[in-house]
């Protein structure tokens, strides 16, 4: 496994590959867990070589303390990447990516950016768009893999690729969960024991909402979920929405579009997100 911190060296290495070699790419912010590894394993199956980036992107954090507290576990990340036969790791510094100008480009994602996470994380998706576009330019992958865990992000990246005509196929991967249903996340490590024990309620509620969607309207289910969380002293619901997967616009009643339920919850100071296809 080769590790590069410089743009020039990673580009040279990728350019030196034989014509016809397919490159799969998995961008991450490190603190890797089995959810990340499942993306890398899928990329390994579908490409000749796999590139993983580890970069905690400053421009996508709307709260400075989240950026400062973001876990950094590079040694264990590299050994996990070796264990799944990752070929190439790109670990740039912020200066390498942004030079002296740590700022986002401004994007128009046709309104996808104003829904759900966009309402609570100002500028977040401009930061995500900026870094992913830059990484795509550097790595020039054939396919890029993103988790459905961050479903809104996945749709926004598909939109960015389409609008900018970037020649990469964006692939959404299933959410990888703990045995008790909690979606794996680097943030789970920061939960207190009490909050960790309470957190599986999030997915339990999503699964129940999926069942209820068979007989109830979206508005009734939103009401039901909001009430359920009122009885959970350790979990504070930020939003629960049922939305069209393509537009991410909330729906009131069942329709012919593919729908998905989305949730964000505070477990103490830790913000957790999850979603389920309906
Ligand atoms: P992050 O390092 O948190 O930016 O995540 C890097 C990639 O891994 C993103 O595409 C995430 O959606 C994906 N990811 C994170 N957690 C999971 C999970 N539990 N299951 C599947 N993909 C995930």
């Amino acid at each position: 496994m080769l590790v590069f911190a410089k743009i020039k060296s990673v580009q040279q290495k990728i350019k030196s590959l034989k014509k016809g070699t397919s490159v799969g790419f998995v961008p991450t912010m490190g603190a890797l867990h089995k959810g990340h590894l499942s993306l890398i394993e899928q990329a390994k199956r579908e490409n000749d070589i796999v590139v993983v980036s580890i970069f905690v992107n400053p421009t996508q954090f709307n709260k400075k303390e989240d950026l400062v507290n973001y876990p950094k576990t590079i040694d264990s990340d590299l050994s996990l990447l070796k264990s799944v036969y990752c070929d190439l790791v790109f670990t740039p510094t912020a200066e390498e990516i942004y030079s002296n100008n740590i700022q986002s480009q401004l994007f128009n994602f046709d309104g996808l950016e104003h829904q759900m996470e966009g309402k609570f994380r100002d500028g977040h998706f401009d930061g995500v768009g900026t870094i992913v576009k830059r990484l795509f330019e550097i790595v020039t992958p054939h396919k890029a893999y993103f988790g459905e865990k961050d479903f809104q992000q996945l749709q926004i990246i598909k939109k960015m690729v389409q609008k900018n005509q970037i020649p990469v196929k964006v692939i959404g991967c299933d959410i990888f969960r703990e045995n008790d249903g909690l979606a794996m996340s680097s943030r789970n490590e920061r939960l207190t024991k009490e909050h960790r024990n309470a957190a599986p309620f999030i997915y339990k509620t999503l699964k129940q909402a999926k069942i209820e969607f068979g007989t109830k309207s979206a508005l009734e289910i939103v009401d039901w979920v909001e009430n359920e969380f009122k009885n959970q002293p350790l979990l504070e619901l930020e939003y629960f929405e049922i939305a069209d997967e393509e537009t991410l616009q909330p729906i009131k009643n069942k329709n012919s579009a593919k729908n998905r339920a989305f949730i964000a919850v505070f477990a103490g100071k830790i913000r957790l997100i999850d979603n389920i296809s309906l």
Side-chain angles (χ1 to χ4, degrees), residues 103-232:
Q103 262 191 354
S104 293
Q105 186 184 331
L106 300 182
F107 288 90
N108 174 351
F109 298 115
D110 293 347
L112 295 179
E113 70 275 35
H114 302 311
Q115 304 300 321
M116 298 179 292
E117 293 297 288
K119 291 183 190 151
F120 297 93
R121 302 182 72 186
D122 204 24
H124 170 67
F125 289 119
D126 282 330
V128 169
T130 302
I131 185 60
V132 174
K133 187 161 172 273
R134 184 83 187 99
L135 290 170
F136 282 173
E137 284 161 5
I138 296 167
V139 176
T140 60
H142 298 91
K143 293 181 182 166
Y145 296 79
F146 293 86
E148 287 187 346
K149 159 88 180 359
D150 303 285
F151 193 86
Q152 185 171 10
Q153 167 176 284
L154 168 67
Q155 297 301 63
I156 279 177
I157 287 161
K158 283 185 176 166
K159 178 71 77 180
M160 182 193 73
V161 162
Q162 179 207 333
K163 288 185 100 166
N164 291 278
Q165 299 180 319
I166 303 172
V168 57
K169 186 166 186 213
V170 175
I171 295 174
C173 306
D174 289 344
I175 302 175
F176 203 86
R177 299 181 179 281
E178 302 284 357
N179 288 336
D180 59 16
L182 178 64
M184 287 208 182
S185 164
S186 315
R187 295 172 184 223
N188 295 353
E189 302 301 315
R190 293 171 54 209
L191 292 168
T192 65
K193 208 170 169 208
E194 268 186 314
H195 289 114
R196 175 64 189 81
N197 289 337
F201 184 77
I202 299 168
Y203 183 53
K204 198 173 148 220
T205 308
L206 285 181
K207 280 196 298 187
Q208 190 58 35
K210 184 179 170 94
I211 294 169
E212 305 279 340
F213 197 61
T215 54
K216 294 202 173 86
S217 74
L219 288 179
E220 283 173 313
I221 297 169
V222 171
D223 267 356
W224 174 77
V225 170
E226 287 175 356
N227 272 316
E228 285 291 287
F229 273 89
K230 284 183 186 146
N231 302 322
Q232 290 293 318

Side-chain angles (χ1 to χ4, degrees), residues 24-38:
F25 178 43
V26 184
T28 81
M29 299 208 296
L32 300 182
H33 50 69
K34 287 182 187 158
H36 296 111
L37 299 188
S38 69

